[in-house]
Amino acid sequence: TYVWQATGQVSITNRGGWSDDVDFTWETPGAKTITVTVTNPYGSATGTRTVEVREGVSATFDPVAGGTLVYTDTLGRVTIIEVPASALYNTTTFSYTFASAPAQGYGDLLFAGRAFDLESSIGLASGGGLTATLSYRDEDLTAAGIEDENDLFLYYWTGSAWEDVAATCTPTSVYHRDTAENRLSVRFCHLTSFGLFGGEAGYELYLPLIMKD
């Protein structure tokens, strides 16, 4: 007997067979836990797996006109990816995938609550860059310990570390900030995983006080 349980789902029980599988569908993103308990005359065993359900949007653009991809998450935070025609060799599909947090570790970097993956069906044209415009919330910055919005930078995952996306283009891109509207824009020339960070966590060092008699 196989008993399947999953976050927000009705329990499913199947009987018989050497193996079993079921399909679960969620309408909201986030971490979901799936548990299966297998029972036979000799005993039972339970296995649990947590999966991250992610949502996003895709769009296809041609090298004549380019286009704009827009995604708004459930908290109202907006991402705009501008794809100029000069960035395309041929008709290309871009896929934006929302992430509640980066899948990769980020050490002492202060995460500002925005993360996503961006992929394309074919590579970008040489020298062709895209522009990302991201909105953010004051409460996300407060929760992360970020005091100055001008410390926010969009980082990309190199495969081994997080680096500023501005350095992916030549010349280095310049950030455009609208702190009144909680929004920033920057040009980037590499597709991967991205995260919005506000510098690194600081630490206070306390030294013993030595007094001379």
Side-chain angles (χ1 to χ4, degrees):
T1 301
Y2 302 86
V3 178
W4 295 85
Q5 297 173 304
T7 303
Q9 304 286 328
V10 175
S11 177
I12 297 174
T13 300
N14 294 329
R15 292 180 172 83
W18 291 102
S19 62
D20 192 47
D21 61 80
V22 298
D23 294 325
F24 291 110
T25 302
W26 290 274
E27 295 182 357
T28 58
K32 314 294 182 182
T33 300
I34 301 171
T35 300
V36 58
T37 299
V38 182
T39 303
N40 64 22
Y42 301 98
S44 65
T46 298
T48 299
R49 177 71 59 87
T50 298
V51 297
E52 180 76 16
V53 176
R54 304 172 69 181
E55 62 180 27
V57 63
S58 296
T60 301
F61 306 118
D62 63 56
V64 176
T68 302
L69 184 153
V70 180
Y71 174 81
T72 303
D73 68 20
T74 56
L75 297 177
R77 299 172 299 187
V78 179
T79 303
I80 301 172
I81 306 295
E82 298 175 56
V83 183
S86 61
L88 306 177
Y89 283 118
N90 210 329
T91 299
T92 306
T93 297
F94 290 86
S95 298
Y96 173 101
T97 304
F98 165 87
S100 57
Q104 305 83 359
Y106 47 90
D108 292 332
L109 288 171
L110 302 176
F111 175 54
R114 301 299 317 275
F116 62 92
D117 293 338
L118 186 64
E119 300 176 334
S120 63
S121 56
I122 60 176
L124 299 178
S126 178
L130 315 182
T131 298
T133 299
L134 280 73
S135 68
Y136 49 87
R137 305 188 307 162
D138 289 332
E139 48 264 57
D140 292 330
L141 306 192
T142 300
I146 300 169
E147 299 179 353
D148 189 346
E149 295 174 51
N150 292 301
D151 290 335
L152 290 173
F153 294 93
L154 184 62
Y155 281 57
Y156 76 104
W157 182 248
T158 66
S160 59
W162 290 100
E163 300 288 348
D164 188 347
V165 299
T168 62
C169 297
T170 303
T172 300
S173 301
V174 176
Y175 281 83
H176 300 278
R177 303 176 184 275
D178 185 344
T179 55
E181 296 295 330
N182 284 9
R183 186 168 56 225
L184 63 78
S185 299
V186 64
R187 182 171 177 264
F188 63 100
C189 300
H190 180 71
L191 304 186
T192 178
S193 298
F194 298 86
L196 187 65
F197 297 101
E200 296 185 2
Y203 299 93
E204 294 183 344
L205 178 63
Y206 296 92
L207 298 175
L209 177 63
I210 300 176
M211 302 182 65
K212 183 177 181 181
D213 293 334

